[in-house]
Amino acid sequence: MGTVNVSKLGYVGFETPDVERLVEYYTKVLDFVLVEGDDRGAFLTTGSDHHCVVVTRGDTRARQLVGYELHEDLDGAEQRLKEAGYATERRTDIGPGTPDVLVLSEPGTGVALHLMDGQQTSGVDRFTPLRPTKLGHVAAYTPELATMQAFYQDLLGFRWSDTVGDFFVFLRCNADHHAANFMASQKYSGMHHIAYEMRDPNHLISMLDHLAQHSYRLHWGPGRHGPGHNLFTYHRDPDGNVVELFTQIDVVHDEATGHWEPRPWHEEIPMGPRTWEVDLATVNQWGPIDPPSLDH
């Protein structure tokens, strides 16, 4: 277990030259709720947390910052981070909904990580027929995969879930198969994709029909991944960022053994963390791969 105990992916930040356009995509297409915002930036949510997406005017940049919720007191977490040799800053001005935040830098990328013990509520108390249930996970490129994996596991308390070949690792902070995944790359940097969870296949289909009505086309999927076994679809937002809509992701059935809750489509029973071969079935059990998604 790591130095601190991250228990939840809270929010992700995007910079965009067109705040209004990206907010319109999130509210009109993905059915998020705009909690606060103006032409300089916005805070959007899928549920009771104040926000899970932060939009800021600037250059086009995805995964500008990532917020994680801790299952512990911030004072104790701050002390242990300092004892581990990591520089942190305690801030009360990060934004609405998060009045007390520990800020540190992600190694190799410089992305600002925000650690908090919770968010204020958004006032949104129920789901609609379309809106995703939550922010599920964020994938990013890293120049040093081993260093990044060690940072998340040894410092932030994430657990290893799966690895593809020697270049793509999946890490969890709660029962879900992964909240963060990283692809080793000297070619690319920044975000690989962001993923929002749908309740079930019917919910996902309804959203895909809604996307089509707004002229958003899939560039990959539907399919089923090997690691995590989530039913997936991928499209691009107005800034070109890759957005995954998924459902049926693996969850931990027994954390003591690391086994996933059994599913009919698992390759073996019981199923737990493993290193996967780089082949078609790993990438998509149902059919074709998307070569750009594996380019690193």
Side-chain angles (χ1 to χ4, degrees), residues 34-114:
L34 174 63
V35 181
E36 298 187 41
D38 54 29
D39 61 356
R40 297 168 298 173
F43 297 83
L44 302 112
T45 190
T46 62
S48 60
D49 284 344
H50 185 275
H51 57 272
C52 62
V53 169
V54 181
V55 177
T56 306
R57 184 176 298 280
D59 296 329
T60 302
R61 184 185 176 197
R63 197 176 178 268
Q64 170 201 7
L65 55 88
V66 183
Y68 290 109
E69 190 171 315
L70 301 180
H71 185 59
E72 63 177 298
D73 178 79
L74 275 188
D75 291 334
E78 181 178 27
Q79 182 61 36
R80 289 198 301 282
L81 287 168
K82 290 181 178 179
E83 291 172 354
Y86 282 87
T88 63
E89 183 182 7
R90 193 79 170 260
R91 292 182 56 180
T92 60
D93 61 344
I94 289 296
T98 53
D100 193 5
V101 178
L102 278 174
V103 181
L104 65 159
S105 294
E106 187 178 70
T109 68
V111 169
L113 300 183
H114 297 174

Side-chain angles (χ1 to χ4, degrees), residues 160-165 168-170 177 226-229 258 260 266-277 279 281-282 285:
W160 174 66
S161 290
D162 277 312
T163 299
V164 175
F168 207 7
V169 68
F170 298 77
H177 180 272
H229 295 97
W260 313 120
H266 281 172
E267 290 79 3
E268 56 193 49
I269 303 291
M271 187 107 200
R274 61 186 266 188
T275 298
W276 297 71
E277 298 293 331
D279 60 22
T282 294
Q285 290 185 349

